[in-house]
Amino acid sequence: MITYPTEAVRETMEKWFAMLPGLREMSHLQINMDDKWITCEIRVGHNRTELEIDKETGYMIDFDLDKKDREWFPSGEPIDAESATERAIEVAEKLYGDHLNEMVRDHLAKLREYKDGKQWELYYRYFFHGIPHSGVSLRIALDESGNLVDIRYHGFHDFDRKNKPPKPEVITKEEAKQAYLALLEKNMMLICDEQEEGKLKYIPDEAPLDDVVIHAKTGQIAKTVIGKRRIIKKYSEVIPIMAQGESLVFPNLQEIEQWVKEHFQIDLTHTGMKRKTLVTPNEDGETFNPMTGYFRFVAEAREPGWPSTIHYFWPLPEDEDAETVYDPDVVWVTLNRTTNELLSFTVNQKMKYIAPRLSEHDALQIGKRFLEKYIEQGITELHYYELCSLRGTGNTYYFYERRQGIVLTNRVYSVKVNPWTGQVTGFYKHDARKNKEIPDPSSVVSTRRAAESFLRLFHIELEYVQVEDRDKSRREKAPVPIPIYQLIYTCTERYKYFDAMTSLPGR
């Protein structure tokens, strides 16, 4: 006898088993009935078929049929859109009943292709005053033969049906387009990656455009997500610097060990320490990745012309319950193999500190001063674009070099600051040996023209959204949705940039 947390959940499971009778025969049924949760999670069988059901209403919030369990289905002929629509409606009405009367469904199911295959999808959505609510949707998905494989009720618990918005007076779609155009014109960034043929490109600057929309009532810029409670934060700030071009040079391994001991009180000569060494270039194409602090594959790093570097790596002992997935305790040092100049280092030691924590801005100033001291002379500007904050080891600030108004995306610099001690615990500077000639920016098209090209890849849609607050312990959403104009990507090709000489899109 199976015990479900509520009668509503039991009824839904009976309906679900009736639609997928082959799964009823599976003896294993794992039910998570945590009283603190408003939903119930159920795993069926020994594969990864899982369901999530609202305890009060019995509505299925999430269901994904594992690939192996799909093998139970008899092979059948592909169905057409009309048949897929009829079958999806049948499933929806059995599981949701009169609740569907509050929603508007698509006229026909659409066949969508994913990397794992194709599936028919039919959507139900909320509409108010003829405007869809983008944050709430019910999707019924079938395989090509019409078998139920997936259900996703997105946003069910975020929206209280009592908070229906009043009918708004909105600006026209053309007015919204002009507002978007003005916003994009200010935020098209001129970039160059010297390793990719040295082309000048325009891309939308991510940070000032992240979660940004046009409020449909006021025509002003609005954000669909507020608050910055996240591990990685995006920024877009030009930082003037006075690079002094000093170098840290270590002629031998013993001097590295002495430097680490003096500055970080870590004895790398201890018998328990195990050092790993990697020289680049190498036949495996492995080199250091400043974005992750780990090795990565780069095809060019197999070539003899790749600047020669040597990487030393010492894993440090950690507590058994330490969080090591994203930021393991380690000492990492990379040198220019020709000059023995320090190119990067990382010293991670997760510790608990009693001292007050520095603000992100104050820690950034410490990091900036360190960068100014050790990056090449002649650099006058950095583009600050990202901050990664991890609880145990500190703040890592990321920068691109900026010259003549061009952001050089292959010239990356980073500095890590312990916010409790103010000590710099990590540093990476772009290897100047990789530099190439920067193209002349005098002939590039205007940011206005680039913005117009970007906007042509999108439709502008009027929708309701609920603003999400990420400063709360749980990502709460405002109870009443607001009307906004949203950019919806509609081009069949996925373009990543615009040629700065022609404004044509590129991949």
Side-chain angles (χ1 to χ4, degrees), residues 24 99 106 192 266 284 292 296-297 300 329 359 390 405 478 495:
R24 187 188 288 273
H99 179 65
D106 293 345
C192 177
I266 298 174
D284 295 324
T292 63
R296 68 168 176 175
F297 169 77
E300 294 83 355
D329 280 8
S359 69
L390 293 168
Y495 294 110

Side-chain angles (χ1 to χ4, degrees), residues 193 195-196 278-292 294-307 309 311 410 428 434:
D193 184 338
Q195 308 308 311
E196 295 180 355
L278 176 72
V279 174
T280 307
N282 54 70
E283 61 182 14
D284 295 324
E286 276 194 300
T287 189
F288 179 70
N289 180 8
M291 296 300 296
T292 63
Y294 294 95
F295 292 120
R296 68 168 176 175
F297 169 77
V298 176
E300 294 83 355
R302 295 180 298 192
E303 303 298 326
W306 183 268
T309 54
H311 311 274
N410 66 298
Y428 173 88
K434 301 176 186 176

Side-chain angles (χ1 to χ4, degrees), residues 199-267:
K199 287 183 179 179
L200 289 177
K201 305 171 184 177
Y202 277 115
I203 62 170
D205 193 353
E206 185 176 356
L209 298 174
D210 198 22
D211 303 315
V212 168
V213 294
I214 301 301
H215 198 297
K217 289 181 67 176
T218 66
Q220 301 299 309
I221 293 170
K223 291 185 74 78
T224 58
V225 177
I226 59 175
K228 288 192 174 183
R229 186 170 179 160
R230 57 188 80 179
I231 292 175
I232 296 177
K233 301 177 186 177
K234 300 294 183 181
Y235 289 91
S236 180
E237 184 179 340
V238 177
I239 297 184
I241 64 168
M242 297 179 63
Q244 300 162 29
E246 294 186 23
S247 297
L248 282 170
V249 177
F250 298 107
N252 53 57
L253 187 59
Q254 289 70 32
E255 293 204 19
I256 295 176
E257 294 167 343
Q258 183 64 28
W259 180 75
V260 171
K261 188 172 184 178
E262 288 179 1
H263 286 79
F264 304 101
Q265 293 74 54
I266 298 174
D267 185 2

Side-chain angles (χ1 to χ4, degrees), residues 177 179-192 200-210 236 238 383 402 404-407 409 441 444-458 487 489 495-506:
K177 179 181 177 180
Y180 266 118
L181 194 57
L183 174 65
L184 289 166
E185 184 179 0
K186 294 178 182 177
N187 293 290
M188 295 303 289
M189 188 164 68
L190 186 61
I191 68 168
C192 177
L200 289 177
K201 305 171 184 177
Y202 277 115
I203 62 170
D205 193 353
E206 185 176 356
L209 298 174
D210 198 22
S236 180
V238 177
H383 180 87
R402 190 173 185 269
Q404 304 176 64
I406 305 169
V407 175
T409 55
V444 300
V445 301
S446 66
T447 54
R448 175 79 175 189
R449 185 173 165 186
E452 291 171 341
S453 297
F454 177 80
L455 208 53
R456 280 195 285 270
L457 303 179
F458 294 81
L487 292 180
Y489 193 87
Y495 294 110
K496 296 181 178 179
Y497 67 89
F498 297 86
D499 190 303
M501 298 299 176
T502 66
S503 77
L504 294 176

